Amino acid sequence: MNMNTQPIIFDGHNDLLTRLWLSAAGDPVHDFIHGTLPGHLDLQRCRQAGWMGGLFSIFLPPYAYVKNNHPEKLSSSSNLNSDSDSDSDFTPQQVIDICCTQLQLAQQLQDRSEGLIQICTTLAQIKACQHNQQLAIVLHLEGAEALAIKPELLDVFYDAGLRSIGPLWNRKTIFGDGLNASFPHSPDTGSGLTKQGKDLILECHKKQMLIDVSHMNERAFWDTLEIINQPIVATHSNAHALCPQARNLTDRQLAAIKDSGGLVGVNFDVAFLRSDGQRDTQTSLDVIVDHLAYLVDHLGEDQVGFGSDFDGCLLPDELADASDMDKLLERMQQRHFSNELIEKITAKNWFKVLDKIWQ
Ligand SMILES: [Zn+2]
C-alpha cells in the first residue's frame, strides 16, 4: 500500500470463540496464541495484518450442524450434561454450557496471552490495546437463547465484559421470530419482537450495550428502532440493493441507521455479497468494495465499517484469511477511496459509534 503506515483494523464481527469451542482436540487457545490455528484468525496473523480486534461472538450454532460435524460435542463424554435424550435440539443445559464455555474461552485467551490479548469494555481500553499492540476483544452475544432459559445470565455475562448483543439469530425464540436467510428475499420474513424481546432490548439498552440488528427480520428491526434511542448498528450485513439476500439491509433501513447515528459493518461472506447470492468463492474483492461504496453513498463516510464474519463465513478466494486484509485495502485505494476514508472504515468509525453507545 502507498499509505505511510498500515492502518489498524477493528472489525465488527467474528466467530472465533465458536470455532475454538468446536475444535475437537488439543489446546485451541494455545494454538490461537502461538499462531498455529487453522481458520481465518490467529494472533500472529492478526498482528501481522494490523487486525487489532473487534466484536467476538458467543454463538449457539445450529444443532444439526454440530450433530453432523462435531458429534463429540453432544456426547456424554463431553462436559455437557445431557439431561434429555432429545436428538433434534440442544437441551437447555447444553445451551447454557455452550455459551458459558465460549465466554470462558475468551477469558483463557486473555489470561494465557501474557498481556497480548485484552477483553475490553470501554473505548479507552481499546485505544490502550492499539497503543500497546494488544488484541482487543469486545464480547458480543449472537442470539439470546441462553437468556431465554436463564435470564440472570445477562448480569453474569455483563460482569464478565459483555457489551454487545444481537437479541435474535436465525431461529425463533421467545424473543421473536428469527430471520430466514433466503435468496432472493426481502428482510420481511416474519413477526417482530415479542414482549419478552422488547423487554430484553430495553434491559440491554439500560446497560448501554450495543444492540445489533444484523440478524433481525424487518419487523423486529423497526420494533427495535421504536423502543430504543441510541445509534443502531448492523455489525455484519450488506446492501440489499446489491445482493437481495434477506440478511442484507434495504435502502429504507440504511436511511434509518444513518439517522440514528449508527453503523453498518460489511460482511465478507460471498453469499451476502454476490448479486446472484451464490456460495461461489470465485468472487472478486471488488464486490466487497462495491458494497462499501454503496454504503458510503447512503450512510456517509462516518458510518461504515468492516464486519468480516471471519471464522463464520465463506470468503472470496482472494481473501484467504485476516493476513490478506492488505489486498482489500489496496483494492479500496485503487477504487479511489482516500486514505482518510480507509482509516475511517478500518477502525475510526467503529471507535466513534462504540464511544457514543457506551458513554
Ligand atoms: Zn451472524
Side-chain angles (χ1 to χ4, degrees), residues 13 15 57 59 140 142 168-170 212 214-215 235-236 247 267 272 309 312:
H13 191 89
D15 287 323
S57 181
F59 169 62
H140 170 77
E142 178 162 42
L168 298 170
W169 188 68
N170 295 358
D212 181 16
S214 262
H215 281 272
T235 61
H236 57 306
R247 273 274 282 104
N267 191 314
F272 300 159
D309 220 347

Side-chain angles (χ1 to χ4, degrees), residues 57-78:
S57 181
I58 294 169
F59 169 62
L60 183 72
Y63 179 83
Y65 173 81
V66 177
K67 189 180 176 196
N68 294 334
N69 299 286
H70 305 275
E72 73 284 356
K73 292 289 161 192
L74 302 171
S75 73
S76 54
S77 62
S78 78

Side-chain angles (χ1 to χ4, degrees), residues 37-271:
L37 191 71
H40 300 155
L41 296 168
D42 61 41
L43 188 57
Q44 309 309 316
R45 279 179 283 165
C46 292
R47 289 170 72 85
Q48 183 193 327
W51 194 93
M52 66 147 300
L55 274 65
F56 286 62
S57 181
I58 294 169
F59 169 62
L60 183 72
Y63 179 83
Y65 173 81
V66 177
K67 189 180 176 196
N68 294 334
N69 299 286
H70 305 275
E72 73 284 356
K73 292 289 161 192
L74 302 171
S75 73
S76 54
S77 62
S78 78
N79 52 16
L80 297 172
N81 303 321
S82 189
D83 56 9
S84 108
D85 57 2
S86 161
D87 63 356
S88 60
D89 208 349
F90 299 110
T91 66
Q93 188 60 47
Q94 284 175 328
V95 171
I96 290 169
D97 287 346
I98 291 168
C99 292
C100 290
T101 304
Q102 291 182 37
L103 174 66
Q104 286 160 7
L105 285 163
Q107 290 164 332
Q108 286 180 33
L109 286 172
Q110 173 178 268
D111 296 346
R112 295 174 59 190
S113 69
E114 297 180 355
L116 293 177
I117 302 175
Q118 180 72 45
I119 295 173
C120 296
T121 58
T122 65
L123 184 62
Q125 284 178 320
I126 295 172
K127 290 267 179 82
C129 284
Q130 178 186 353
H131 184 257
N132 299 325
Q133 296 190 316
Q134 295 164 293
L135 186 75
I137 293 181
V138 173
L139 290 172
H140 170 77
L141 185 62
E142 178 162 42
E145 290 80 0
L147 304 181
I149 296 162
K150 202 171 175 185
E152 58 270 33
L153 275 181
L154 179 59
D155 284 337
V156 174
F157 277 51
Y158 183 89
D159 289 345
L162 186 75
R163 291 295 182 276
S164 174
I165 184 169
L168 298 170
W169 188 68
N170 295 358
R171 51 172 89 76
K172 182 182 171 80
T173 67
I174 63 164
F175 302 119
D177 276 2
L179 179 130
N180 180 3
S182 45
F183 181 97
H185 206 288
S186 91
D188 187 10
T189 69
S191 303
L193 298 170
T194 61
K195 165 87 169 62
Q196 290 106 312
K198 289 178 184 173
D199 288 348
L200 173 64
I201 287 174
L202 283 171
E203 204 182 335
C204 295
H205 183 43
K206 242 188 266 166
K207 291 178 180 296
Q208 293 177 292
M209 292 169 65
L210 183 155
I211 312 289
D212 181 16
V213 298
S214 262
H215 281 272
M216 286 188 186
N217 66 37
E218 197 171 355
R219 290 178 207 202
F221 175 93
W222 296 116
D223 286 347
T224 301
L225 255 74
E226 235 169 64
I227 59 175
I228 65 171
N229 175 30
Q230 74 180 27
I232 297 295
V233 177
T235 61
H236 57 306
S237 293
N238 296 338
H240 195 271
L242 302 187
C243 168
Q245 149 69 247
R247 273 274 282 104
N248 289 338
L249 298 154
T250 65
D251 288 353
R252 259 189 82 210
Q253 289 177 301
L254 295 179
I257 291 172
K258 177 181 166 62
D259 289 347
S260 79
L263 181 142
V264 176
V266 167
N267 191 314
F268 300 166
D269 191 315
V270 292

